[in-house]
């Protein structure tokens, strides 16, 4: 994470409304109080805000004095802006953009998972012919049910099924059917 250089970051906390949860034991409804926003942080799960809630504490000499309890809360679920407050000055830590995967650079985008079976019209029964396609093949029927890899391998093992070479179905499934050593045989 890197701290941003938004405006005059670090110039102090600003007011923000914090939503306190309902307490079924005490029978209280959710409440909003004004607290101080110290910092905000972007995480993989969203934004978190470090807020200072007003509180009290007992000093060493026994007096009760004002204090602040700081806690991280999720935004926007537990915080609301205060009208007229400029939040650009709040210290903000943003996630650095993740680098493009080298695998994706080399291989390109992944193709959609699954295969579809195209039956050849005119032949029925045990001699029925079929062609197995990747789901994004131009020749694949658009209304055919999607097969997972196990079902696709079962269908591909049948002697009456041909694997499409246009979409690469044959190149993808043949090593799984005949073993990876088969690739070097040709």
């Amino acid at each position: 994470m890197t701290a941003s250089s938004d405006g005059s970051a670090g110039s102090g906390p600003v007011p923000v409304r914090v939503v306190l949860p309902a307490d079924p034991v005490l029978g209280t409804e959710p409440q909003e109080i004004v607290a101080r926003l110290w910092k905000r942080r972007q995480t993989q799960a969203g934004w978190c805000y470090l807020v200072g809630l007003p509180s009290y504490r007992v000093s060493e000499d026994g007096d009760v004095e004002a204090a602040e309890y700081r806690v991280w809360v999720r935004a926007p679920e537990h915080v609301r802006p205060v009208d007229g407050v400029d939040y650009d000055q709040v210290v903000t830590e943003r996630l650095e953009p993740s680098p493009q995967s080298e695998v994706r650079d080399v291989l390109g985008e992944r193709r959609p998972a699954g295969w579809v079976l195209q039956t050849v019209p005119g032949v029925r029964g045990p001699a029925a012919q079929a062609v197995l396609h990747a789901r994004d093949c131009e020749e694949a029927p658009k209304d055919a049910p999607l097969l997972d890899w196990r079902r696709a391998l079962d269908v591909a093992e049948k002697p009456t099924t041909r694997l499409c070479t246009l979409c690469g179905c044959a190149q993808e499934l043949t090593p799984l059917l005949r073993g990876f050593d088969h690739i070097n045989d040709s």
Side-chain angles (χ1 to χ4, degrees), residues 1 9 15-16 24 35 46 54-55 59 61-62 71 89 95 104 108-109 113 146 155-156 163 176 179 186:
M1 278 190 240
V16 67
S55 181
S59 66
D61 59 354
V71 63
Q89 65 183 336
L95 284 177
R104 184 169 287 158
E109 292 295 319
L146 193 62
V155 170
L163 304 181
L176 296 173
S186 54

Side-chain angles (χ1 to χ4, degrees), residues 105-157:
D105 286 344
V106 173
L107 299 178
E109 292 295 319
R110 290 182 62 179
R111 79 177 324 159
W115 291 268
V116 293
L117 189 62
Q118 176 186 18
T119 56
V120 177
V123 182
R124 294 190 178 263
Q129 300 275 324
V131 180
L132 192 61
H133 298 277
R135 79 186 280 186
D136 61 346
C137 180
E138 294 173 7
E139 300 293 320
K142 302 303 176 209
D143 58 344
L146 193 62
L147 306 176
D148 67 8
W149 67 271
R150 287 186 177 102
R151 181 73 182 116
L153 287 175
D154 290 342
V155 170
E157 285 183 316

Side-chain angles (χ1 to χ4, degrees), residues 79-119:
V79 291
R80 307 276 184 271
V82 172
D83 291 338
V85 175
D86 179 18
Y87 292 98
D88 290 338
Q89 65 183 336
V90 177
V91 174
T92 303
E93 296 176 357
R94 298 184 187 276
L95 284 177
E96 293 181 14
S98 60
Q100 178 83 5
S101 166
E102 289 182 29
V103 173
R104 184 169 287 158
D105 286 344
V106 173
L107 299 178
E109 292 295 319
R110 290 182 62 179
R111 79 177 324 159
W115 291 268
V116 293
L117 189 62
Q118 176 186 18
T119 56

